Amino acid sequence: MDPVLLSHVAVFAVSALACVASLPHVRSIRHADTRRGLAALLLSVAVWSVGYVGYLLAPTAAGKITWYTVGFVFAFVAVGAWLYFCAAYTGRPPRQAPYRNVAIAVFVVLTALKVTNAFHGLYFTTAWATEPFPHLAIRHQVLYWLVLGLSYVVIAIGFFMLLERFHYTGADSRPLAVLVGVTAIPVAATLFGDRVEWLLPLMYEPPGVALFAVGTLFVYSNRLETIRLTGASDKPAIYLDADGRVRDYNTAAREILPSLADSIGDPLASVNAVVAERLETDGVCSIDRDGDPRSYEVVNTPFTVGDVPTGRLVTLTDVTDREAYRRQLEVKTEQLEALNRVVRHDIRNDMAVILGWMETFEGRVDDDLEPVLDRVLRKGTHVVELTENARAFVESLSEGEMTNLRPIDVRETVGAEIAAVRESFPDATFRVDGEIPDVRVRGNEMLSSVLRNLLENAVRHNDEAVPEVAVAVETTDETVRISVRDNGPGIPDERKEEVFGKGEKGLESPGTGIGLYLVHVLTSQFGGEVWVEDNDPKGSVFVVELVDANRSDEADRSDEADRSNS
């Protein structure tokens, strides 16, 4: 066999074998689209190379043209696979690519033209030649060069994606950049093959792609994967191996931790001990940046193959503003707790003493002072009630109260609160419309505060000589609605949502604004809602809708049964 022919056959045969041999190793790539793209690239280049081998060795002209056409078609498939791989590797989902359907249509049309070249000759013509050895010479036509130019544009886009990702990571990606560059070297042979005596006018990219595949998969496989992981993160990212040593990082991480420079292979603890300490707990640490202490949240994402840990991705998120706000909230919480202690102890105790002394004057003062004493007692009692609201409000903000939910008997709670307000407001009329069903709602002991505030609000904001308040309870499929009706002045539509806002006091109300806001906060914590409607013929209806504890428990049991059966 002619040495030049043998060298051509050997180059393409070795390229095909290298691509096929690399295919099993592709399974080690965890990212699905990257894995599929590289597998498609290797397989298409292998078929492309085999097509050229068949073209060179087939004994007949028809066989040579058939094999050449197969390689010709799969060369174009390889271009698409290359772009798919580059897009997936650099974090650009191929299935969401713009003009994807147009690209597929162009591919189908050009492939059809290649397959049918024998009828139109727009791609290539053939003629027997003797130099550099006897062979069926391929003479490329205009359409070939147009498609070749389009292919190189697509390939260049893929190169740009890869080099951009390598640059963004900030790590030493020069070995991979060199491999990518080697892939482009055969372009010169393709462009000038018809001008060199010992080259045939073929596409010589398969050897370059094969070299890229072998180099990345067998020599720099970890580098390929770590650059993809660190580069895919918009946040500062560090990739560690199973032993906690730095394998890669991106530019953003190096800006925060300058000690990352030249740290490949070093334990993270030697790079930054504070960050290393947070790996197991995903906590927040403080990092000094040019004299400015910043807070960063450290998140650790492990990677495993089967049950074997292979590494972890560490991301750093700047949470300085969040931490400052959290510290402000802690200070405010401490202040609220201090206020709660003052309200519960000092003010309540002092008011109890004052009321005790004032009650000793009942029946002992002149008739003209009786109204004054009565008013002082009522205002004093109101102050005590306000301290109860303030206490309940502070307690409602604590995490323990929010999470301690259990079934609460509605009939018992409504009855107890109506009895309490009847004693506080003997001049008002309270009634229950219909029968209160034997039902329980999801809540806690703070449900009493919700009902008491609504009942007291219905009296205090009432302008009638005899305030009338009616309570009704009705059930729906999954909820229980408690409504409190009054015969007061009502609430305009534009105020119906505002009355539940912080600091809202209702119409000309002398109240503190805590009561209805407390109702809103507590109802939300119970997983319910509260709103206000118009009463007929006048007044307002405050409706509290809560979760039916019995129905929710049945639903939970049903879901558990379904999960166990499945």
Side-chain angles (χ1 to χ4, degrees), residues 310-446:
T310 59
R312 62 179 82 183
L313 182 67
V314 180
T315 57
L316 305 175
T317 304
D318 191 329
V319 293
T320 304
D321 294 339
R322 190 189 75 186
E323 284 298 295
Y325 182 64
R326 182 185 61 80
R327 287 190 289 269
Q328 292 176 0
L329 288 180
E330 288 179 349
V331 172
K332 290 182 179 180
T333 300
E334 291 176 359
Q335 293 171 345
L336 280 174
E337 291 175 350
L339 172 62
N340 189 30
R341 288 193 295 270
V342 171
V343 167
R344 293 186 62 182
H345 298 95
D346 299 354
I347 296 179
R348 279 180 56 83
N349 291 342
D350 289 348
M351 285 307 304
V353 172
I354 292 172
L355 288 174
W357 280 102
M358 294 303 297
E359 288 173 356
T360 64
F361 288 102
E362 287 184 306
R364 299 183 181 182
V365 297
D366 297 337
D367 292 341
D368 56 342
L369 292 179
E370 280 288 349
V372 177
L373 178 61
D374 182 63
R375 186 173 183 181
V376 171
L377 288 173
R378 282 190 288 108
K379 289 297 182 181
T381 302
H382 181 51
V383 170
V384 174
E385 292 171 353
L386 291 179
T387 64
E388 281 294 322
N389 274 340
R391 178 190 64 80
F393 173 68
V394 173
E395 290 182 353
S396 73
L397 298 179
S398 68
E399 183 177 357
E401 291 291 342
M402 286 191 288
T403 56
N404 186 24
L405 300 182
R406 62 181 187 279
I408 300 296
D409 190 300
V410 173
R411 180 185 296 172
E412 179 181 332
T413 305
V414 171
E417 293 310 313
I418 289 179
V421 293
R422 277 176 177 157
E423 293 182 3
S424 301
F425 302 97
D427 296 333
T429 300
F430 297 91
R431 71 173 190 273
V432 176
D433 287 345
E435 183 179 354
I436 300 178
D438 183 13
V439 65
R440 288 167 176 75
V441 295
R442 182 177 293 175
N444 55 33
E445 64 274 6
M446 300 300 289

Side-chain angles (χ1 to χ4, degrees), residues 82 158-159 162-163 166 175-185 212 216:
W82 166 258
F159 277 127
L162 292 180
L163 294 176
F166 295 164
L176 282 177
V178 170
L179 280 175
V180 171
V182 169
T183 307
I185 291 177
F212 173 80
T216 55

